[in-house]
Amino acid sequence: SAVISQKPSRDICQRGTSLTIQCQVDSQVTMMFWYRQQPGQSLTLIATANQGSEATYESGFVIDKFPISRPNLTFSTLTVSNMSPEDSSIYLCSVVIGPNTEAFFGQGTRLTVV
Amino acid sequence: AQKVTQVQTEISVVEKEDVTLDCVYETRDTTYYLFWYKQPPSGELVFLIRRNSFDEQNEISGRYSWNFQKSTSSFNFTITASQVVDSAVYFCALIHNQAGTALIFGKGTTLSVSS
């Protein structure tokens, strides 16, 4: 299994600023995933973070807006840059551990941009 | 392409009623996994069940039960004798058995249980 510690749990930010969300896993994992959940919506994959290489972004998400770091096999950060009210969402990190394909999620970061 | 469809956007029931949440999925893979998660108002995702594509046995856990039918690509979730604490958003999700892939989520079903 895996335990994921994600912080901050919530924040209220001014538009135009940036927020960095941290995700720490208690075991080494190859891939980490970042999701966004806009109010009343489902989870949408932002990007896949692989240690030692650039993150892979899904359609509609760009590195300039959501830069990701993956310095080692247990840690990743997602930055939400130049925030606007439309970025108000819950952001979650996740890992999937094989071979039985267990999926684990952080507690989520509830971001409000004012 | 992989896809998860939860056609029920919102369901409202009265306590003690049984309720079934539907989930239909699409995948070309022969090996895959299906999940159900509960998301209470606090926002965290609570894992409920994981089922692999080779195990079609239905499962019961307390008041929760799951009906997996590959023939109809469905993985439905039933809550028996619902309670107010069951009020939440429920997500069905799919992942195929390949390293480096993420879960694909349905749009979720909001369940409201009133007393």
Side-chain angles (χ1 to χ4, degrees), chain B residues 6-106:
Chain B
Q6 296 177 255
V7 294
Q8 304 149 308
T9 305
E10 295 182 16
I11 301 176
S12 295
V13 299
V14 179
E15 249 187 334
K16 299 183 183 175
E17 282 187 31
D18 298 345
V19 58
T20 295
L21 283 60
D22 297 332
C23 174
V24 174
Y25 63 92
E26 296 175 29
T27 180
R28 292 200 200 99
D29 298 308
T30 55
T31 303
Y32 52 89
Y33 296 81
L34 296 163
F35 298 76
W36 275 96
Y37 288 89
K38 174 182 180 180
Q39 188 177 45
S42 53
E44 79 274 19
L45 281 176
V46 178
F47 169 80
L48 295 177
I49 190 171
R50 177 177 59 96
R51 171 69 71 222
N52 76 56
S53 54
F54 296 108
D55 182 2
E56 287 193 72
Q57 213 171 15
N58 291 331
E59 180 155 340
I60 298 175
S61 176
R63 296 185 297 109
Y64 296 169
S65 62
W66 291 269
N67 183 356
F68 176 30
Q69 293 197 348
K70 287 180 75 170
S71 61
T72 56
S73 297
S74 65
F75 186 43
N76 297 336
F77 172 35
T78 297
I79 301 175
T80 304
S82 59
Q83 300 176 1
V84 172
V85 293
D86 296 326
S87 298
V89 182
Y90 291 86
F91 291 100
C92 181
L94 166 73
I95 189 171
H96 61 90
N97 188 31
Q98 180 179 327
T101 58
L103 269 69
I104 297 168
F105 284 85

Side-chain angles (χ1 to χ4, degrees), chain A residues 31 33 35 37 41-43 45 48 90 92 96 99-103 105 107 110, chain B residues 33 35 37 39 41-45 50 91 95 97 100-103 105-107:
Chain A
M31 300 285 189
F33 304 97
Y35 289 86
Q37 186 181 22
Q41 303 297 313
S42 185
L43 283 77
L45 183 65
T48 301
I90 298 174
L92 297 104
V96 176
N100 292 320
T101 319
E102 299 267 1
F105 287 84
Q107 305 93 321
R110 189 181 293 268
Chain B
Y33 296 81
F35 298 76
Y37 288 89
Q39 188 177 45
S42 53
E44 79 274 19
L45 281 176
R50 177 177 59 96
F91 291 100
I95 189 171
N97 188 31
T101 58
L103 269 69
F105 284 85
K107 292 188 181 296

Side-chain angles (χ1 to χ4, degrees), chain A residues 11-15 19 36-41 65-66 80 83-91 109-114:
Chain A
D11 207 341
I12 300 174
C13 300
Q14 296 291 322
R15 67 175 68 201
L19 175 72
R36 180 178 73 180
Q37 186 181 22
Q38 295 177 301
Q41 303 297 313
K65 177 67 176 177
F66 298 102
V80 186
M83 289 184 284
S84 67
E86 291 71 35
D87 294 320
S88 297
S89 299
I90 298 174
Y91 293 85
T109 297
R110 189 181 293 268
L111 171 62
T112 302
V113 184
V114 297

